[in-house]
Amino acid sequence: MASEAGKKRKPKVIRTDGATPEGKRGKADGEQVTAGPSPGWALLKASRRGPGPAEAPGVPGGDSRPPLLSSPPQDARYYSEECEVDLRDPIKDYELYKETCQELQRLMAEIQELKSRGIKDNASEIDERRVQSCVHFMTLKKLNRLAHIRLKKGRDQTHEAKQKVDAYHLQLQNLLYEVMHLQKEITKCLEFKSKHEEIELVSLEEFYSEAPTEISRPDITLTEPHQQTLARLDWELEQRKRLAERYKECLTIKEKILKEIEVKKEYLSSLQPRLNSIMQASLPVQEYLFMPFDQAHKQYETARHLPPPLYVLFVQASAYGQACDDESDSDVEEEQTTKRRRPTLGVQLDDKRKEMLKRHPLCVTIDLKCKDDNVLHLTFYYLMNLNVMTVKAKVTTAVEMTTAISAGDLLSPDSLLSCLYPGDHGKKTPNPANQFQFDKVGIVTLSDYVTELGHPYVWVQKLGGLHFPKDQPQHTVTADNSLSASHMELTVKLLRTRLQSRLALHKQFASLEHGVVPVSSECQHLFPTKIVSRLVKWSAIPFEDYAELPYTKDVLEAGLAEDTHLYYMALIERGTAKLQAAVVLNPGYSALPPIFSLCLNWKGERTGNNDDNIRAMESEVNVCYKELWGPKPGYQLLTNQLQRLCMVLDVYLETEPHDTSVEGPKEFPQEKMCLRLVRGPMRLKPFKFNYPQGFFSHR
């Protein structure tokens, strides 16, 4: 027991000034054993003796090792390792570390073996090896300090290098900024435009031929462009001075003409009462010659106040009388001719139809030019026997348009001007009297001849000052000139808008047919950065094919799809999911938005009738279209609607629950950030994109 208690006790080292420290180790009877010198003291003495190797006390034969401590000044002994780090080799220190560890292992093994023998005489040997172990521990501590100092120096060097790199990077950024600034200044200088560049100067040939020599100075200006420009500006100033004088002279002449006009106006105003008296005096003559012009005028004025049924009867009877009374005599002759020459009845009807649809030999052509140099050519004709006007349209573009198969009907004469005003499709004659004329010659409808004659739109009649009674009484009656003037400005604006809208659609269709949905920079904020679904097909379809689709019945029943509209089919794909979109394009686009009907083919056929989320997707493009209008006048509405369809299809597929019966990863992993995946009893998905936060939410 005494020996075991002695093994558990640790040796004590007593240090005294000028004396060798003594170690005491207690045994069972309190026996004290003097230990060897302290390891720290031995190392310090060894380093102070000189540069020679220090012999570790108690080691047989003396283990020759490099000195671990130098002899720095007393006030700087704590920093001696920093000086030694640069002088010592790390590889040799590492080898010393391995040797020290091996020596410690050996000493510990020997101590363990001596203690296990239990012989009292082995105590001195154990103490000796214990001292040697302490020396090795001091060596390890010394190496540990050196390692930490090296680590600190390495970190300091890394930090200094990083600061140099940051400084160089900052200098590089400054230089790049300076380069960018200089490039901007160079660009400004190159793009500088003087005010004289906006002035349309005369050509050089005209300048040298008309300008006097003292202004043109050909001996100088022909070789110096700057002097030539100054001379041309001087000549322009001289010409403008002359024109200003001419303008003053013209103003004087204008004032004289205005005075003459005022005199004539006074004469005409005094003439009106005389004409009224003449009209009153001519009433007996009108009655005698059966020409009741005044009576017919009063009759139409009174008919405006009739109730609708009586007014319709009056209009139809008047139209029938106007169409048939003048031909009563010729009908008798036609009956006699028919009896004599029956085989030529078809030829006679063809001749009568041609005569009925005969146009005036002269026509009027109006060219409407837009800002982008695109021109709309309108040719107006007058059908003399039908008393109506028709128009044909043709478009000339400033640049050659890219061929797009689906854009074939956009600029065709039959659809370009259709429904310029609501309901005015130009397939029926606006003159009620024409129907009775058509019955005489066997013409069923004028729409069979519009390709050759042109379309008799109502707005064309108004531009020509023609006004026909309608099925409802008119509250105001205007003269021909005032009727044309009141509709001219609005009609021209609508024509220009229609042309620009169709040209914009033509350009967009060329991109859509290649699977590219063009989105301008002004509309980028309406969509997330990444949209996986892609448009793979865009094509035009006839009205009959659209009407046969099972998911377009609601649009047809609501009266939102007519044969005058344009119809297209879009196909959007992502993985195995395919979304078909049937599009109805109103002729009044973009004032009237396109209407989309959707059908998703993925794990079955899903439409708005069997899936509430498909109906919500249709609402995103059909109801919330005002968000997609973009910059005025909104010609990017269609492409923005298609891009939104791609976006909501991503949300629809990514928020679908994973089918646990199918092995493998989810086909459409969720990439969009959604606050809630579904909401309400209908389990609607979050289709609304919030910018700039970038998440999707419910409406």
Side-chain angles (χ1 to χ4, degrees):
M1 297 295 293
S3 63
E4 293 178 359
K7 293 177 182 179
K8 294 180 181 179
R9 295 174 183 172
K10 297 181 180 180
K12 297 180 181 180
V13 180
I14 302 175
R15 296 180 181 179
T16 58
D17 295 338
T20 302
E22 297 292 335
K24 296 181 179 181
R25 180 176 63 85
K27 293 188 176 182
D29 54 356
E31 181 181 2
Q32 295 182 356
V33 179
T34 304
S38 171
W41 181 259
L43 288 172
L44 185 60
K45 290 179 66 181
S47 63
R48 288 181 178 178
R49 282 200 302 266
E55 180 179 335
V59 180
D63 190 5
S64 179
R65 304 177 186 274
L68 297 177
L69 295 175
S70 60
S71 56
Q74 190 67 21
D75 56 347
R77 61 182 178 274
Y78 297 110
Y79 305 97
S80 61
E81 290 83 352
E82 296 182 2
C83 300
E84 293 183 20
V85 165
D86 299 332
L87 302 176
R88 297 175 67 92
D89 187 4
I91 299 177
K92 292 182 179 180
D93 287 348
Y94 177 67
E95 296 294 334
L96 177 61
Y97 165 75
K98 291 196 297 184
E99 293 175 1
T100 305
C101 291
Q102 293 174 358
E103 193 68 24
L104 273 174
Q105 291 178 355
R106 183 183 63 78
L107 291 174
M108 292 300 175
E110 292 178 357
I111 292 173
Q112 179 66 23
E113 183 181 359
L114 291 174
K115 286 185 177 183
S116 62
R117 293 176 182 176
I119 304 174
K120 296 182 179 180
D121 297 338
N122 295 338
S124 60
E125 295 180 4
I126 293 173
D127 291 340
E128 181 180 355
R129 284 166 174 77
R130 185 176 296 163
V131 171
Q132 294 177 7
S133 300
C134 292
V135 172
H136 291 311
F137 274 119
M138 295 299 294
T139 303
L140 291 178
K141 291 176 67 177
K142 176 69 175 182
L143 294 174
N144 183 42
R145 288 194 299 272
L146 292 173
H148 280 287
I149 293 174
R150 286 193 183 97
L151 177 62
K152 182 178 180 300
K153 283 193 173 185
R155 288 177 178 174
D156 293 341
Q157 293 174 357
T158 304
H159 182 67
E160 291 177 1
K162 184 178 179 181
Q163 286 183 336
K164 289 182 180 180
V165 171
D166 291 341
Y168 292 149
H169 185 266
L170 182 60
Q171 293 178 4
L172 176 61
Q173 294 297 325
N174 292 336
L175 292 175
L176 291 176
Y177 179 78
E178 186 175 355
V179 169
M180 182 178 64
H181 176 70
L182 293 175
Q183 289 177 346
K184 288 183 178 179
E185 294 298 324
I186 293 172
T187 304
K188 288 181 181 179
C189 295
L190 294 176
E191 293 179 353
F192 174 76
K193 292 185 179 180
S194 178
K195 287 292 183 181
H196 79 277
E197 295 180 2
E198 301 176 0
I199 302 175
E200 295 184 2
L201 301 176
V202 297
S203 62
L204 291 175
E205 294 79 4
E206 186 178 353
F207 168 68
Y208 284 111
S209 62
E210 296 182 359
T213 309
E214 58 270 12
I215 294 179
S216 62
R217 294 176 297 168
D219 53 338
I220 300 176
T221 57
L222 287 175
T223 57
E224 297 184 11
H226 178 64
Q227 295 295 332
Q228 186 184 72
T229 303
L230 293 178
R232 294 177 69 186
L233 290 173
D234 291 339
W235 176 238
E236 182 70 21
L237 178 61
E238 183 66 23
Q239 285 183 316
R240 294 196 177 193
K241 288 180 179 179
R242 296 177 183 177
L243 292 175
E245 295 178 357
R246 179 69 182 278
Y247 174 71
K248 292 180 180 178
E249 295 177 359
C250 292
L251 285 179
T252 305
I253 298 173
K254 178 182 176 182
E255 291 177 357
K256 292 180 180 180
I257 296 174
L258 288 175
K259 290 180 180 179
E260 295 177 359
I261 292 174
E262 290 296 331
V263 173
K264 292 181 180 180
K265 281 185 178 181
E266 292 179 359
Y267 172 75
L268 293 176
S269 61
S270 63
L271 185 62
Q272 183 64 33
R274 298 180 183 180
L275 293 176
N276 292 335
S277 61
I278 293 173
M279 288 293 296
Q280 291 294 330
S282 65
L283 289 178
V285 179
Q286 294 181 21
E287 295 176 357
Y288 180 77
L289 298 177
F290 301 100
M291 300 172 60
F293 299 113
D294 188 66
Q295 182 181 359
H297 178 70
K298 290 181 179 180
Q299 190 177 25
Y300 275 100
E301 287 289 327
T302 307
R304 293 191 302 110
H305 304 285
L306 290 173
L310 293 180
Y311 184 80
V312 171
L313 177 61
F314 169 77
V315 170
Q316 296 298 330
S318 301
Y320 181 81
Q322 181 182 356
C324 300
D325 289 345
D326 295 339
E327 300 179 358
S328 58
D329 297 335
S330 60
D331 289 343
V332 178
E333 297 178 359
E334 289 174 2
E335 291 176 359
Q336 297 174 356
T337 306
T338 305
K339 292 179 182 179
R340 292 194 300 265
R341 302 178 58 187
R342 289 184 181 177
T344 60
L345 179 59
V347 178
Q348 289 180 357
L349 289 177
D350 291 339
D351 294 337
K352 290 178 182 178
R353 293 190 189 107
K354 293 180 181 179
E355 183 65 22
M356 182 69 67
L357 303 176
K358 187 177 181 180
R359 297 187 303 199
H360 194 278
L362 299 179
C363 62
V364 176
T365 301
I366 299 177
D367 295 338
L368 294 180
K369 189 175 183 180
C370 301
K371 294 181 180 179
D372 50 4
D373 293 336
N374 296 316
V375 182
L376 175 62
H377 307 278
L378 298 174
T379 304
F380 296 87
Y381 302 94
Y382 177 69
L383 305 182
M384 297 182 292
N385 294 323
L386 299 181
N387 192 29
V388 295
M389 293 178 60
T390 60
V391 64
K392 285 187 176 182
K394 182 182 177 182
V395 178
T396 302
T397 57
V399 295
E400 185 177 359
M401 301 292 293
T402 304
T403 303
I405 300 175
S406 59
D409 293 335
L410 290 177
L411 301 179
S412 66
D414 293 334
S415 66
L416 178 59
L417 304 180
S418 177
C419 297
L420 188 66
Y421 289 88
D424 189 9
H425 48 73
K427 294 183 179 180
K428 296 182 180 179
T429 173
N431 188 355
N434 294 156
Q435 188 59 45
F436 303 104
Q437 294 174 301
F438 293 161
D439 294 340
K440 288 288 184 180
V441 296
I443 297 178
V444 180
T445 176
L446 188 62
S447 60
D448 298 333
Y449 304 89
V450 293
T451 304
E452 179 184 357
L453 301 177
H455 291 77
Y457 298 108
V458 176
W459 58 268
V460 175
Q461 318 307 319
K462 292 181 179 179
L463 290 183
L466 298 178
H467 174 69
F468 302 101
K470 296 183 179 180
D471 294 340
Q472 297 293 332
Q474 301 295 315
H475 298 287
T476 57
V477 177
T478 57
D480 295 345
N481 290 334
S482 60
L483 177 65
S484 178
S486 62
H487 289 80
M488 182 64 69
E489 183 177 1
L490 177 59
T491 303
V492 171
K493 288 183 179 179
L494 291 176
L495 288 170
R496 284 201 174 99
T497 303
R498 174 65 62 84
L499 176 61
Q500 293 173 353
S501 173
R502 293 298 176 89
L503 291 176
L505 284 174
H506 196 287
K507 183 178 180 181
Q508 294 169 7
F509 284 6
S511 299
L512 295 178
E513 288 185 355
H514 291 82
V516 179
V517 182
V519 179
S520 63
S521 58
E522 296 87 353
C523 301
Q524 291 289 346
H525 67 280
L526 299 174
F527 313 101
T529 305
K530 183 179 180 182
I531 297 179
V532 183
S533 299
R534 290 291 178 266
L535 176 70
V536 297
K537 185 179 179 181
W538 174 265
S539 60
I541 59 175
F543 172 73
E544 293 76 14
D545 293 350
Y546 179 89
E548 292 177 358
L549 296 174
Y551 50 92
T552 60
K553 292 182 179 179
D554 294 339
V555 179
L556 293 171
E557 293 174 358
L560 300 177
E562 300 176 1
D563 57 348
T564 57
H565 294 176
L566 302 175
Y567 299 90
Y568 301 91
M569 179 63 71
L571 180 61
I572 301 174
E573 292 184 359
R574 179 180 178 182
T576 59
K578 297 182 179 181
L579 178 65
Q580 292 181 344
V583 185
V584 181
L585 188 64
N586 193 288
Y589 177 87
S590 62
L592 298 175
I595 300 176
F596 288 73
S597 301
L598 304 180
C599 177
L600 177 62
N601 294 315
W602 182 61
K603 297 181 181 180
E605 186 173 282
R606 309 183 185 189
T607 64
N609 297 325
N610 57 20
D611 192 334
D612 294 327
N613 281 295
I614 297 296
R615 187 175 293 275
M617 292 168 62
E618 292 177 347
S619 176
E620 284 294 319
V621 293
N622 293 335
V623 179
C624 305
Y625 67 91
K626 292 184 179 179
E627 303 173 359
L628 306 173
W629 237 324
K632 292 183 178 180
Y635 295 149
Q636 302 174 18
L637 175 59
L638 176 62
T639 55
N640 289 342
Q641 286 177 309
L642 289 172
Q643 187 73 350
R644 174 167 284 188
L645 270 185
C646 297
M647 178 187 73
V648 297
L649 179 59
D650 282 351
V651 176
Y652 182 96
L653 297 175
E654 292 175 9
T655 54
E656 278 290 292
H658 180 53
D659 189 2
T660 56
S661 62
V662 180
E663 297 182 359
K666 188 177 179 182
E667 182 180 2
F668 305 106
Q670 183 174 352
E671 299 178 355
K672 308 293 187 298
M673 184 172 60
C674 305
L675 296 182
R676 294 176 62 183
L677 297 183
V678 293
R679 186 182 69 177
M682 301 175 68
R683 314 298 288 172
L684 295 179
K685 301 175 183 295
F687 293 122
K688 180 183 178 182
F689 177 69
N690 296 271
Y691 177 85
Q693 293 84 3
F695 63 86
F696 289 80
S697 62
H698 293 82
R699 290 192 179 274

